[in-house]
Amino acid sequence: EQPVESGGGLVQVGASLRLSCVASGSTFSFKSMGWYRQAPGKQRELVTTITSGGGTTNYADSVKGRFTISRDNAKNTMYLQMNSLKPEDTAVYYCNSDPPYYDWGKGTLVTVSS
């Protein structure tokens, strides 16, 4: 099982993007999920998580107040609303469970230009 991420692109500082992640199979709704990102030359990091029912979310300090994670279990889909984007948000964004369970997808590239 491999989630499919989409929604990335090239934007300017301060812009917004909404990423989507679609997971196949029957396990999605039972798992806490997360968005991860890997910037050039850096290790992959966990940015934000959401519990299986969507009731609890957590954010890295670097994105708190700017990013919002959400999910629609009926559609096996998770979202990441990213506002006030900064150049340091430039990375390939991946979705996976927390802790990771699925095979890693190809991710979606977000490039924030100053």
Side-chain angles (χ1 to χ4, degrees):
E1 297 179 357
Q2 187 179 71
V4 178
E5 304 92 349
S6 63
L10 172 62
V11 297
Q12 293 189 330
V13 170
S16 298
L17 281 174
R18 189 191 195 205
L19 307 185
S20 298
C21 164
V22 179
S24 61
S26 59
T27 58
F28 176 83
S29 62
F30 299 104
K31 292 190 174 293
S32 292
M33 295 292 295
W35 283 97
Y36 302 73
R37 69 184 180 186
Q38 186 167 20
K42 295 187 177 181
Q43 290 190 334
R44 185 179 290 155
E45 64 172 341
L46 180 60
V47 174
T48 176
T49 62
I50 186 168
T51 50
S52 57
T56 301
T57 57
N58 286 288
Y59 299 90
D61 288 343
S62 57
V63 305
K64 199 171 295 182
R66 300 187 297 119
F67 290 11
T68 303
I69 189 172
S70 61
R71 66 190 296 166
D72 184 341
N73 286 340
K75 297 181 179 180
N76 272 22
T77 301
M78 181 173 68
Y79 305 97
L80 182 63
Q81 178 66 43
M82 305 188 297
N83 298 328
S84 302
L85 283 162
K86 303 176 179 180
E88 51 264 42
D89 295 320
T90 294
V92 179
Y93 285 73
Y94 303 88
C95 66
N96 210 315
S97 57
D98 176 37
Y101 163 80
Y102 301 101
D103 294 330
W104 291 99
K106 296 181 179 180
T108 186
L109 176 62
V110 173
T111 303
V112 184
S113 172
S114 56

